[in-house]
């Protein structure tokens, strides 16, 4: 089209009201929640950018498919539609449905990881890391050196550090490494994409050493779109062709269908090796369900089957990636530090650069996330030392490498005016950044503490 404005390639078919709690109500809500945004009721939030996971709007075709869901315990017709869609997109013959991505991770790692195992990844997401550690393994992050400077734009900041991977193999030998993972796009690393060239290099290293390579494929379609836009030689290929090239370079994947499955729930494991798949299926039966439903209803399988096809539509992906960049441009244009370039599903504000007065052990990103809520009811999430800080033997804590607030954009859910409002709120908080104080944890759980920890603001 000859116009610059990229429009939403859909009409809104059904709407859901948003509550507009005032400042006093927000103060009371955050206090009750122990200054943890996960503790808020969604009706206390105006614009919810906590996650892009399972929060998107489904299409009329997905809803229509759901009405035709087959709820048979075994051999459901909906499973075969789901399997056909997954195999069409990924090329994997073995398809194991799970209730969400972390169930796929738990089953895969329980099958492959032992105490003492090491699993490298460009950057493990919280559930991936926790599931590896839960098996007694060690999850190590090998982000590309290009990812180290948030303000420097690089087309493929999600890449795996190939030299780092080689060094880990040389140090430990392949026997302690049951698998290597690559997360596309790299969520904890700023929603940044991985290039086909980088995936091919990782695949070559893994093949040479006989170690399987798995893709954390939650945002495979967004990653494919970035490859089309940015990788030489890929411009004339469709997102579906590029996605297939990504999957062709790996031995299997874990998937949360709550992201690029365009569904509200669901996930799967895909792989080529039938023996590994048989082991995973027996664990699946133990904890998730029979292999043709894996913890999902037949109608969920229908929604995912349709979503996997819709997500690779070029008009959708152009709109999706542009809507994230639109928010990033507004925030960056006002001089607020963010990870550059914009990620696929989210904008990541660099809280340590915006709030240099708050030391890392006082959780600057948590403090910023709380202020965004208090200012305008915008809920983001801390991706910093609350999520990834490592307790040390002496009682201190090793901070995370970065202190970020992620504003994740649900798919097909908010309009441009909602995003304009979010930008206004971010700018208002940034204008009073110097006065913002840190936080202290007063209660925390052993695993994934960020979901339930309670905080106290420091005076
Ligand atoms: C990169 C990545 N891997 C895994 C997961 C886990 O998926 P789920 O929330 O469906 O368990 C997520 C979810 O946010 C993610 O972003």
């Amino acid at each position: 089209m000859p116009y610059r404005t990229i429009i939403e390639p859909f009409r809104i078919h059904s709407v859901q009201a948003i509550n507009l709690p005032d400042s006093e109500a927000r103060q009371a809500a955050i206090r009750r929640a122990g200054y943890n945004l996960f503790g808020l009721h969604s009706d206390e939030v105006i614009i919810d950018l906590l996650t892009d996971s399972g929060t998107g709007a489904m299409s009329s075709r997905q809803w229509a498919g759901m009405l035709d869901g087959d709820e048979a315990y075994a051999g459901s017709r909906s499973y075969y539609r789901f399997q056909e869609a997954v195999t069409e997109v990924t090329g994997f013959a073995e398809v194991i449905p799970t209730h969400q991505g972390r169930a796929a991770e738990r089953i895969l790692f329980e099958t492959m990881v032992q105490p003492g195992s090491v699993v490298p990844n460009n950057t493990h997401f919280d559930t991936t890391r926790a599931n590896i550690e839960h098996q007694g393994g060690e999850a190590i992050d090998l982000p590309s050196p290009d990812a180290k400077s948030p303000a420097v734009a690089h087309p493929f900041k999600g890449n795996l550090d190939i030299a780092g991977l080689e060094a880990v193999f040389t140090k430990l030998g392949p026997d302690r490494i049951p698998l290597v993972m690559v997360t596309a796009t790299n969520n904890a690393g700023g929603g940044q994409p991985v290039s086909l060239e980088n995936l091919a290099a990782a695949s070559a290293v893994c093949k040479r050493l006989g170690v399987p390579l798995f893709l954390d494929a939650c945002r495979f379609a967004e990653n494919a779109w970035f490859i089309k836009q940015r990788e030489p030689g890929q411009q004339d290929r469709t997102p579906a062709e590029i996605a297939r090239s990504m999957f062709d370079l790996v031995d299997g994947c874990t998937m949360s269908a709550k992201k690029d499955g365009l569904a509200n729930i669901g996930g799967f494991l895909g792989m080529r090796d039938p023996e590994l798949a048989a082991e995973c299926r027996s664990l699946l039966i133990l904890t998730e369900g029979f292999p043709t439903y894996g913890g999902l209803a037949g109608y969920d399988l229908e929604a995912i089957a349709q979503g996997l096809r819709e997500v690779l539509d070029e008009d959708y992906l152009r709109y999706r990636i542009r809507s994230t960049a639109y928010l990033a441009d507004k925030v960056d244009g006002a001089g607020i530090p963010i990870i550059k370039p914009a990620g696929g599903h989210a904008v990541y504000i660099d809280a340590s650069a915006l709030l240099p007065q708050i030391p890392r052990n006082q959780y600057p990103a948590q403090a910023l996330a709380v202020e965004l809520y208090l200012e305008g009811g915008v809920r983001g999430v801390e991706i910093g030392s609350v999520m990834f800080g490592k307790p040390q033997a002496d009682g201190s804590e090793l901070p995370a490498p970065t202190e970020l607030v992620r504003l994740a954009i649900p798919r097909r859910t908010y309009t441009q005016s909602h995003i304009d409002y979010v930008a206004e709120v971010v700018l208002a908080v940034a204008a009073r950044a110097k006065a913002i104080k840190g936080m202290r944890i007063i209660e925390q759980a052993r695993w994934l503490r960020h979901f339930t920890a309670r905080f106290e603001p420091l005076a």
Side-chain angles (χ1 to χ4, degrees):
M1 286 204 294
Y3 301 104
R4 284 181 54 239
T5 306
I6 295 169
I7 63 169
E8 288 85 353
F10 48 79
R11 278 188 292 268
I12 294 169
H13 181 253
S14 145
V15 297
Q16 210 167 34
I18 294 178
N19 263 5
L20 300 172
D22 61 16
S23 171
E24 212 176 302
R26 297 198 294 268
Q27 287 276 2
I30 197 79
R31 224 176 294 125
R32 189 209 63 235
Y35 296 86
N36 185 333
L37 294 131
F38 284 100
L40 294 171
H41 301 187
S42 66
D43 281 344
E44 292 163 342
V45 175
I46 297 176
I47 305 286
D48 203 348
L49 307 184
L50 182 74
T51 177
D52 63 319
S53 180
T55 51
M58 288 204 296
S59 69
S60 50
R61 289 200 178 135
Q62 285 177 291
W63 285 109
M66 288 179 79
L67 275 183
D68 201 27
D70 174 4
E71 304 304 338
Y73 187 97
S76 153
R77 181 176 62 231
S78 300
Y79 170 74
Y80 293 104
R81 284 195 191 132
F82 163 84
Q83 185 196 39
E84 192 186 296
V86 175
T87 304
E88 181 185 303
V89 169
T90 65
F92 297 137
E94 304 290 343
V95 178
I96 301 174
T98 58
H99 80 273
Q100 59 184 95
R102 69 197 69 185
E105 291 164 1
R106 204 265 304 153
I107 289 170
L108 184 69
F109 300 147
E110 200 169 324
T111 310
M112 299 185 84
V113 174
Q114 290 166 3
S117 296
V118 170
V119 182
N121 196 334
N122 46 356
T123 312
H124 290 276
F125 199 60
D126 58 355
T127 57
T128 323
R129 167 174 293 281
N131 271 297
I132 290 167
E133 290 172 355
H134 193 59
Q135 297 303 322
E138 189 188 345
I140 55 172
D141 293 338
L142 298 172
S144 146
D146 296 314
K148 299 224 161 93
S149 327
V152 179
H154 181 281
F156 290 106
K157 271 181 151 175
N159 281 351
L160 178 76
D161 176 3
I162 302 295
L165 181 66
E166 297 262 23
V168 171
F169 273 118
T170 308
K171 187 168 159 214
L172 301 176
D175 292 349
R176 278 187 62 196
I177 304 173
L179 78 161
V180 172
M181 295 200 69
V182 172
T183 306
T185 59
N186 186 356
N187 186 4
Q192 302 291 319
V194 178
S195 69
L196 273 181
E197 188 188 14
N198 184 256
L199 257 186
S203 165
V205 174
C206 290
K207 278 214 168 72
R208 196 176 77 232
L209 295 158
V211 171
L213 176 63
F214 272 68
L215 196 64
D216 179 336
C218 298
R219 299 177 181 83
F220 73 95
E222 292 173 4
N223 198 91
W225 181 256
F226 280 121
I227 288 175
K228 182 174 169 70
Q229 301 304 304
R230 298 180 184 172
E231 190 156 349
Q234 299 299 322
Q235 282 62 39
D236 297 330
R237 302 182 70 210
T238 65
E241 287 167 343
I242 295 170
R244 177 53 90 81
S245 298
M246 289 164 54
F247 288 110
D248 283 349
L249 287 165
V250 299
D251 300 288
C253 74
T254 55
M255 174 74 187
S256 167
K258 300 170 74 174
K259 285 87 170 175
D260 277 352
L262 297 181
N264 298 127
I265 195 70
F268 58 84
L269 265 172
M271 61 190 74
R272 299 183 209 288
D273 179 352
E275 281 173 32
L276 178 63
E279 278 187 62
C280 290
R281 280 197 186 97
S282 60
L283 272 181
L284 182 84
I285 293 177
L286 193 66
T287 55
E288 291 274 304
F290 191 73
T292 59
Y293 72 88
L296 293 170
Y299 55 68
D300 296 322
L301 294 167
E302 293 282 351
I304 299 168
Q306 176 63 24
L308 285 173
R309 292 181 170 124
E310 287 178 13
V311 79
L312 287 162
D313 177 72
E314 291 204 19
D315 292 333
Y316 162 74
L317 283 169
R318 184 178 297 107
Y319 138 78
R320 167 73 178 156
I321 299 301
R322 177 59 202 144
S323 58
T324 309
Y326 178 79
L327 175 58
D329 288 351
K330 289 200 153 216
V331 174
D332 178 40
I336 296 165
I338 59 166
I339 293 194
K340 287 198 234 179
H345 65 295
V347 174
Y348 294 68
I349 304 174
D350 183 346
S352 40
L354 184 63
L355 308 174
Q357 74 276 18
I358 304 183
R360 310 288 292 273
N361 62 0
Q362 293 179 11
Y363 310 114
Q366 183 67 21
L368 179 60
V370 166
E371 291 301 328
L372 292 173
Y373 174 70
L374 287 172
E375 180 69 36
V378 173
R379 173 157 71 169
V381 72
E382 192 259 19
I383 300 196
S385 294
V386 177
M387 196 180 268
F388 290 122
K390 285 202 186 98
Q392 304 295 291
D394 64 0
S396 67
E397 203 174 278
L398 189 67
T402 46
E403 305 292 338
L404 305 170
V405 172
R406 185 189 71 180
L407 302 175
I409 305 188
R411 293 169 180 77
R412 308 189 288 203
T413 301
Y414 290 118
T415 64
Q416 193 165 330
S417 67
H418 291 120
I419 299 299
D420 287 336
Y421 171 84
V422 171
E424 263 191 76
V425 170
V426 174
L427 267 58
V429 171
R432 55 179 178 79
K434 285 200 177 94
I436 297 175
K437 303 268 190 338
M439 321 270 320
R440 181 169 86 86
I441 294 182
I442 53 170
E443 210 180 289
Q444 58 182 305
R446 181 155 169 233
W447 299 101
L448 298 171
R449 68 176 180 180
H450 52 286
F451 287 124
T452 51
R454 291 182 72 82
F455 300 84
E456 205 171 65
L458 292 165

